[in-house]
Amino acid sequence: MPIELTDIARLAQILERSGVDTIEIEVSGQSLKLVVNTGPRMAASPTLAAPATDHSVIAKADVAGHFLAAHPWRDKPFVARGQRIEAGAIVGLVKIGVLYAPIVAPAAGTVDAVIAETGTMVGYGTPIVRIRPLS
Amino acid sequence: MIEILSVTGPASVQDLGRLDQYRFGVGTSGAMDDVALRAGNILLGNDENAAGLEIPMMPFKLRFDRDMAFALTGADVDAEIAGRVIPPWWRSHAGAGDILTIKAMARGARSYLAFSGGIDVPMVLGSRSTQFRGEFGGWHGRPLQPGDVLPCTASTATIGELGVEPAEVTLARPNADPDETLVRVVVAGEYDGFDAATQELFWSSSWKITPQSNRYGYRLQGPAVKPSMPIEKRSHGIVPGVIQIPPNGQPIIQMRDAQTSGGYPKIAAVIRADLWRVGQARLGRMLRFEQTAYADALAAEAEMSAYLDRLRANVGLVEETRTCR
């Protein structure tokens, strides 16, 4: 059975979810090597090195694609630093082909930082926005 | 079911149109921006021809009487569901009793609301579209009024929020002036009845959409474009998109509720891939016509289909990914 494009997409998702960054498989004469680009996540990690007393919550991407801070029809981004937001509020979009998947705030609070840069590739679990919860 | 609470202007139930009755003189009706209605239906997993609402003026307000997924596409509007802002070209979920409000339209001319399963009005002559001229189809053959309660076949299954890149973004025309809608047309039957200078005037002018423009047709204002010799023809079949030149030289673009026949000379016809752009051009906006070869008109249609194909494929993949987790 040949390797289909959809198989590759599914494998890429599994890799991302499991935190593995490379896989090689051979099926009936075909070989496939997939390497997941973990760059954005590594770049983001220093920002996340927070003091132990930090109770921040992070809004994360739940699908792979390109991060958009604003809708192309809007000048203003979904959220900006210092903004009060409700739990479930849309804080950005992940563009997958012609679709926009929302990234939502896991808790109500104040936007501390928009970590991801618009246009960059993000994956499952990539931190997008840091929120200081209401306490 | 959904209940219309507030409506401004002639909002109506529309699907993709009544396409098989033309030979009997029954016009197509159907969504003025068919791409937007299709996109909304694809987002919801509906048949693309499922009936939705076409809303040409704001404010507009409706109430859901049960849990239901819906999609808002078309014009760029300020909309809220139960107090939450709905981004453009977006699928969301309403709870029973939730009120959806559309307050203002920043760009475009028509907003579309599609509902999970579609609006369940009877098929009349093969379509659920409202036929304003014949006063049948849609909701009792008429524009919606406050208090109307429309049946929906919606399943109550919850589906997550998801957006689509608006067609205007994906299918943007290169170098288009933001203050004008560039409309590709092919020349039509009586084009040669206009002399070269008049033809040039037709192509080079900006045409203003006058207030006498609606689902029936758009009356345009600009320099008078008149044939070299008066052209008198018997009434003959015409289709949405045909651009006629009446005796005053001011073009009329026939739209979805146009008559099926007419006698004015036809200078050109809007290609099918650009009819939705005309449908989204609001009163007072300027149009400019761009001459297009038949082969390029087909290529433009293929590009429009490719956008919808990608959308279908992407929705399938995203749903699958979400189900996996």
Side-chain angles (χ1 to χ4, degrees):
Chain A
M1 206 178 69
I3 301 169
E4 302 280 352
L5 267 180
T6 49
D7 297 333
I8 298 175
R10 202 169 294 132
L11 278 170
Q13 284 158 10
I14 293 168
L15 285 188
E16 244 159 5
R17 252 177 284 157
S18 52
V20 178
D21 60 8
T22 310
I23 190 174
E24 282 188 71
I25 44 172
E26 278 190 44
V27 195
S28 52
Q30 287 182 306
S31 73
L32 173 75
K33 181 176 181 180
L34 278 181
V35 181
V36 176
N37 179 8
T38 51
R41 251 179 282 180
M42 294 175 41
S45 50
T47 333
L48 291 175
T53 51
D54 187 358
H55 298 298
S56 294
V57 293
I58 305 288
K60 296 173 185 165
D62 72 344
V63 64
H66 292 273
F67 172 64
L68 297 179
H71 190 280
W73 275 359
R74 298 283 181 270
D75 297 329
K76 275 175 62 179
F78 281 93
V79 293
R81 196 186 145 87
Q83 189 178 333
R84 276 281 309 273
I85 53 170
E86 298 301 317
I90 300 171
V91 299
L93 303 173
V94 178
K95 182 178 188 306
I96 320 132
V98 292
L99 289 184
Y100 296 151
I103 303 157
V104 298
T110 308
V111 175
D112 221 10
V114 179
I115 303 161
E117 258 184 70
T118 208
T120 54
M121 187 72 189
V122 297
Y124 179 70
T126 304
I128 304 294
V129 171
R130 191 171 62 224
I131 300 159
R132 200 161 0 101
L134 300 175
S135 53
Chain B
M1 287 189 295
I2 51 173
E3 182 182 353
I4 309 297
L5 299 181
S6 164
V7 58
T8 318
S12 59
V13 174
Q14 298 292 343
D15 59 15
L16 297 177
R18 197 167 273 107
L19 305 177
D20 296 329
Q21 309 297 326
Y22 224 70
R23 63 191 184 284
F24 303 122
V26 178
T28 64
S29 307
M32 291 276 276
D33 180 351
D34 53 331
V35 179
L37 180 64
R38 280 182 198 271
N41 279 329
I42 293 171
L43 268 181
L44 295 169
N46 285 352
D47 185 317
E48 282 170 46
N49 190 31
L53 298 185
E54 180 180 281
I55 306 157
M57 284 177 176
M58 307 309 161
F60 179 89
K61 201 186 275 191
L62 65 73
R63 179 166 47 218
F64 292 88
D65 84 331
R66 54 186 277 202
D67 283 17
M68 199 186 296
F70 67 92
L72 177 69
T73 57
D76 183 2
V77 292
D78 281 346
E80 285 184 359
I81 176 74
R84 303 192 311 274
V85 172
I86 310 170
W89 289 60
W90 202 256
R91 159 181 111 184
S92 190
H93 199 88
D98 281 355
I99 291 176
L100 181 146
T101 314
I102 308 178
K103 284 176 284 191
M105 193 154 54
R107 81 172 84 190
R110 286 167 180 88
S111 183
Y112 290 86
L113 270 173
F115 305 91
S116 170
I119 295 176
D120 191 20
V121 292
M123 291 276 253
V124 181
L125 296 177
S127 165
R128 294 187 170 88
S129 280
T130 312
Q131 230 285 356
F132 280 118
R133 195 178 288 279
E135 299 181 0
F136 62 83
W139 185 246
H140 301 306
R142 61 160 172 80
L144 299 174
Q145 295 168 2
D148 285 347
V149 176
L150 307 176
C152 289
T153 47
S155 83
T156 54
T158 303
I159 54 176
E161 298 210 349
L162 193 62
V164 195
E165 184 167 79
E168 199 184 298
V169 175
T170 316
L171 302 173
R173 296 298 317 283
N175 311 320
D177 181 336
D179 296 325
E180 273 183 352
T181 298
L182 197 57
V183 179
R184 286 167 290 189
V185 303
V186 290
V187 297
E190 286 72 60
Y191 180 70
D192 291 337
F194 298 82
D195 64 31
T198 310
Q199 291 172 352
E200 180 47 36
L201 194 61
F202 177 75
W203 300 120
S204 62
S205 302
S206 283
W207 297 96
K208 188 174 187 176
I209 301 172
T210 70
Q212 287 76 48
S213 300
N214 48 38
R215 288 186 46 90
Y216 292 89
Y218 281 28
R219 286 181 179 270
L220 307 181
Q221 185 191 332
V225 169
K226 294 185 180 182
S228 345
M229 304 269 289
I231 301 174
E232 304 230 352
K233 290 183 76 79
R234 292 201 174 150
S235 247
H236 54 277
I238 54 171
V239 293
V242 160
I243 306 171
Q244 297 174 313
I245 304 291
N248 67 3
Q250 301 291 282
I252 301 171
I253 309 178
Q254 297 294 340
M255 295 303 286
R256 295 283 174 185
D257 284 338
Q259 297 188 85
T260 55
S261 65
Y264 291 144
K266 311 174 295 299
I267 191 165
V270 177
I271 68 170
R272 194 149 60 181
D274 277 358
L275 260 183
W276 66 272
R277 295 183 208 267
V278 180
Q280 285 298 358
R282 57 166 75 192
L283 302 187
R285 193 172 165 83
M286 306 303 279
L287 298 183
R288 190 186 290 271
F289 298 116
E290 181 184 312
Q291 188 172 353
T292 303
Y294 182 66
D296 293 332
L298 293 183
E301 207 167 313
E303 196 190 350
M304 182 176 81
S305 302
Y307 164 71
L308 293 167
D309 288 344
R310 263 182 93 191
L311 173 54
R312 255 176 246 118
N314 292 161
V315 168
L317 189 66
V318 166
E319 304 294 20
E320 193 186 348
T321 315
R322 285 183 169 172
T323 319
C324 284
R325 293 207 179 103

